[in-house]
Amino acid sequence: MNLYIKAIGFEQVDSDFEEQMIHAGILDSLEKGLVIKNNELNRGAVIVRISESTGLYIYGRFKDKEFIYEYYFPFVIGRTRCDNDEITIERHLDKESYAVVCDESKTGVTLIFYLQNVPQYLKEKQLSGNKMNYTSVTLAGLCESGTILLPVKKDHSQKERQREEVYNRMQLLSAAKSGDPNAIETLTLEDIDTYSKVSRRLVTEDVFSIVDTYIMPYSVECDRYSILGEIQELHEIVNEYTGENVYVMKLDVNGLVFDVCVPRQRLLGEPAVGRRFKANMWLQGYINY
């Protein structure tokens, strides 16, 4: 059973319910035509819609007209594209699923996420070989639980200064990737200076009053992250199979904007636009061609 199926509103799922749900979902989706099929490879996926924003992606192969299930994973649909400088795709060893490594151009952070649109990737790879053209990626995350934090108070001038600092850092990162030694030295000195300032403030202040947002690797799984982000948009959806309520939030995490999904009953605090959301997340996404 996929651990993050609880994130889309399946709190009380056991193995028997999981098997029945997948079987019923496959039949219903085949009847409705919610199937992505690669005729050349005779493989494909069935999309089981759980709500307007979430669902189950069931991957398998076709034997004549029969669909043979291999594995599944829950997903949430992202809505915001992210600009990327470079994308690398690697297949997992145990099944035909893929991890994507991308350099996010705004923050300079290298992210690894679980690929959602596998059939489209295989089709593009078959048609173009190793000369695929990627335009951007769209990220999303699943969270089993989370905590709401109050925002850090800032005036207009502080927000403007922060935006200017983010823009300047983007320019330095771009120059550093091109091999500019001055940019590399400036970034190194800035990091040392930031570490020194934070260390002094931590003596008398709480870390979450100093750090607005963050994203950093979590656990041994390469596509899991610990995040703290500002809520930009918020809406509540209902799992059509269980009736459980789920929040879908649009977050700004260090300038990186993406959607996350978390079950309402596992969320500590009252979410609202402007407040912050803290959680451990499984990062997913799809590639735009």
Side-chain angles (χ1 to χ4, degrees):
M1 182 184 298
N2 190 298
L3 294 177
Y4 280 88
I5 193 172
K6 294 181 179 180
I8 61 172
F10 289 99
E11 179 65 29
Q12 305 299 327
V13 170
D14 56 22
S15 57
D16 291 334
F17 180 81
E18 178 192 37
E19 183 179 353
Q20 294 170 9
M21 180 186 63
I22 289 174
H23 180 70
I26 289 174
L27 293 178
D28 185 52
S29 297
L30 288 173
E31 184 178 329
K32 293 179 179 178
L34 298 175
V35 181
I36 303 171
K37 184 177 180 180
N38 187 314
N39 293 318
E40 288 77 11
L41 299 176
N42 218 28
R43 307 186 72 81
V46 172
I47 309 298
V48 180
R49 297 302 297 266
I50 304 301
S51 70
E52 59 184 27
S53 303
T54 62
L56 294 179
Y57 182 103
I58 303 174
Y59 190 78
R61 56 192 174 89
F62 287 92
K63 187 175 182 180
D64 296 326
K65 294 184 179 181
E66 181 185 4
F67 180 79
I68 301 175
Y69 157 75
E70 292 182 357
Y71 73 90
Y72 82 92
F73 64 86
F75 69 87
V76 58
I77 300 172
R79 296 170 294 167
T80 306
R81 293 192 176 195
C82 305
D83 295 326
N84 302 96
D85 294 331
E86 186 177 347
I87 296 175
T88 304
I89 304 173
E90 295 288 343
R91 177 180 166 170
H92 294 131
L93 294 176
D94 58 336
K95 58 180 178 289
E96 197 166 17
S97 60
Y98 295 82
V100 182
V101 184
C102 64
D103 291 328
E104 210 284 316
S105 58
K106 288 184 179 179
T107 60
V109 176
T110 299
L111 297 173
I112 301 175
F113 65 87
Y114 194 94
L115 182 63
Q116 292 177 337
N117 56 337
V118 174
Q120 186 181 8
Y121 163 70
L122 293 176
K123 182 178 180 180
E124 291 290 334
K125 184 178 180 181
Q126 188 179 30
L127 293 174
S128 58
N130 295 323
K131 298 180 179 179
M132 288 182 286
N133 295 318
Y134 313 120
T135 58
S136 62
V137 300
T138 301
L139 300 176
L142 295 178
C143 306
E144 289 185 285
S145 60
T147 305
I148 299 298
L149 301 179
L150 293 174
V152 176
K153 185 178 180 181
K154 297 178 185 175
D155 57 30
H156 181 71
S157 62
Q158 288 175 313
K159 292 180 181 179
E160 286 294 327
R161 187 166 64 250
Q162 186 178 35
R163 279 194 287 265
E164 185 178 346
E165 289 174 354
V166 169
Y167 176 78
N168 291 336
R169 184 171 176 81
M170 283 176 54
Q171 299 300 313
L172 286 171
L173 286 169
S174 179
K177 287 180 180 180
S178 302
D180 186 341
N182 293 328
I184 296 172
E185 183 180 0
T186 301
L187 287 170
T188 303
L189 292 174
E190 283 185 358
D191 288 342
I192 294 172
D193 186 46
T194 300
Y195 177 79
S196 177
K197 289 179 180 178
V198 170
S199 298
R200 288 196 301 269
R201 291 182 61 182
L202 280 175
V203 177
T204 57
E205 298 179 54
D206 182 81
V207 64
F208 294 121
S209 66
I210 302 171
V211 179
D212 266 351
T213 63
Y214 65 75
I215 179 168
M216 57 186 181
Y218 170 77
S219 85
V220 296
E221 295 285 348
C222 58
D223 50 12
R224 294 180 68 189
Y225 293 88
S226 177
I227 61 166
L228 174 63
E230 181 181 339
I231 302 173
Q232 292 189 334
E233 295 179 14
L234 171 70
H235 65 280
E236 191 172 349
I237 58 176
V238 179
N239 184 313
E240 296 176 1
Y241 283 76
T242 64
E244 295 180 25
N245 292 349
V246 175
Y247 283 118
V248 176
M249 308 176 191
K250 183 179 179 181
L251 300 181
D252 182 345
V253 182
N254 277 6
L256 184 65
V257 179
F258 55 86
D259 292 300
V260 298
C261 180
V262 62
R264 179 178 180 180
Q265 65 183 28
R266 284 174 164 260
L267 183 63
L268 179 61
E270 187 66 28
V273 174
R275 294 180 180 176
R276 294 181 293 170
F277 174 70
K278 177 180 176 291
N280 298 322
M281 171 188 71
W282 180 31
L283 187 62
Q284 305 178 343
Y286 58 87
I287 299 174
N288 304 301
Y289 297 94

